[in-house]
Amino acid sequence: INKPHEQRPISRASSRTHGGNGISRAAPLEALLFDIDGTMCVSDPFHHRAFSELLQNLGYNGGAPITPEFGMAHMAGRSNEQIGRFLFPDWPQARLDAFFAEKEALFARYAGEGLREVPGLAELCRWARERGLKRAAVTNAPRANAELMIGILGLADFFQLVVAGEDCGEGRSKPCPDPYLRALDLLGASAERSLVFEDSVVGVQAGVAAGMPVVAVASESREAKVVAAGASMVVRDYRDAELWAALEAAAGAPKIDSEPSAVDA
């Protein structure tokens, strides 16, 4: 049987390991835990468009559009609760709830027009299923948002559970480790045998705090920040040669996955 990485297109110059290959610590690999936004799919442009339209209509920032850099610095990877406290610290909860309901409706419309996977994701998911690894999506996004993206990506039956932004209680979303610890508990997996995929600083911090090595999917401009947060490896996408070599070494021989999927937290 040919190994999967012998058949897939490979990028050979995009990854960086930091402090040794942290993935090797997780051998024999038991579970993969994925963030969604920016990690599984290219969603930031749709979030930015929705936020920018609403904030401009409200006269935020003097009516000037927010920049993508503003979004990455203050919104990426954060829960709506965290974003709301930053944008509108004096707003009552009811007004924040209405604002984010409108924002998520806009995001759903825009994402439906063009959300796409991070290159190589589908192959990684097939590989994980073939090896019978446990699988969870762990996100600061609202559950409806998370399920929308997973559905668009065609992965509704891939994940055995989804831990969403509202599942861990007020103030306990990423960068707290609680979402990842909850996923481990529900999967029946150990931190010592699990691996996290993330793209944001707060997400990397959460995975590391939960005791797991983290692979960060990040551009060169953000690499230093995710490394400072504790990422063991940085890749541009899932076609990376060094990533696949580390995964194959950590996972061992393939086996058929017969477990049920798509169980909510």
Side-chain angles (χ1 to χ4, degrees), residues 23-98:
I23 297 177
S24 64
R25 290 195 287 114
L29 194 59
E30 180 182 13
L32 298 183
L33 286 73
F34 291 82
D35 175 52
I36 303 177
D37 279 297
T39 302
M40 291 169 53
C41 55
V42 183
S43 55
D44 286 339
F46 306 108
H47 285 294
H48 179 79
R49 182 179 174 187
F51 270 122
S52 185
E53 287 185 18
L54 290 179
L55 292 175
Q56 195 167 8
N57 289 340
L58 288 169
Y60 188 86
N61 193 35
I66 60 170
T67 64
E69 292 75 20
F70 179 92
M72 290 302 300
H74 302 295
M75 298 174 180
R78 291 169 170 79
S79 66
N80 283 351
E81 176 192 355
Q82 293 164 331
I83 296 170
R85 285 201 307 265
F86 171 77
L87 291 175
F88 306 111
D90 300 326
W91 277 20
Q93 189 60 47
R95 191 176 182 188
L96 286 172
D97 290 345

Side-chain angles (χ1 to χ4, degrees), residues 141-157:
R143 179 168 295 280
N145 180 316
E147 292 177 348
L148 168 76
M149 290 185 283
I150 290 171
I152 293 173
L153 293 172
L155 296 174
D157 66 346

Side-chain angles (χ1 to χ4, degrees), residues 174-191:
K174 304 174 194 177
C176 294
D178 300 43
Y180 280 115
L181 294 175
R182 179 178 176 84
L184 289 172
D185 181 58
L186 292 169
L187 283 175
S190 67

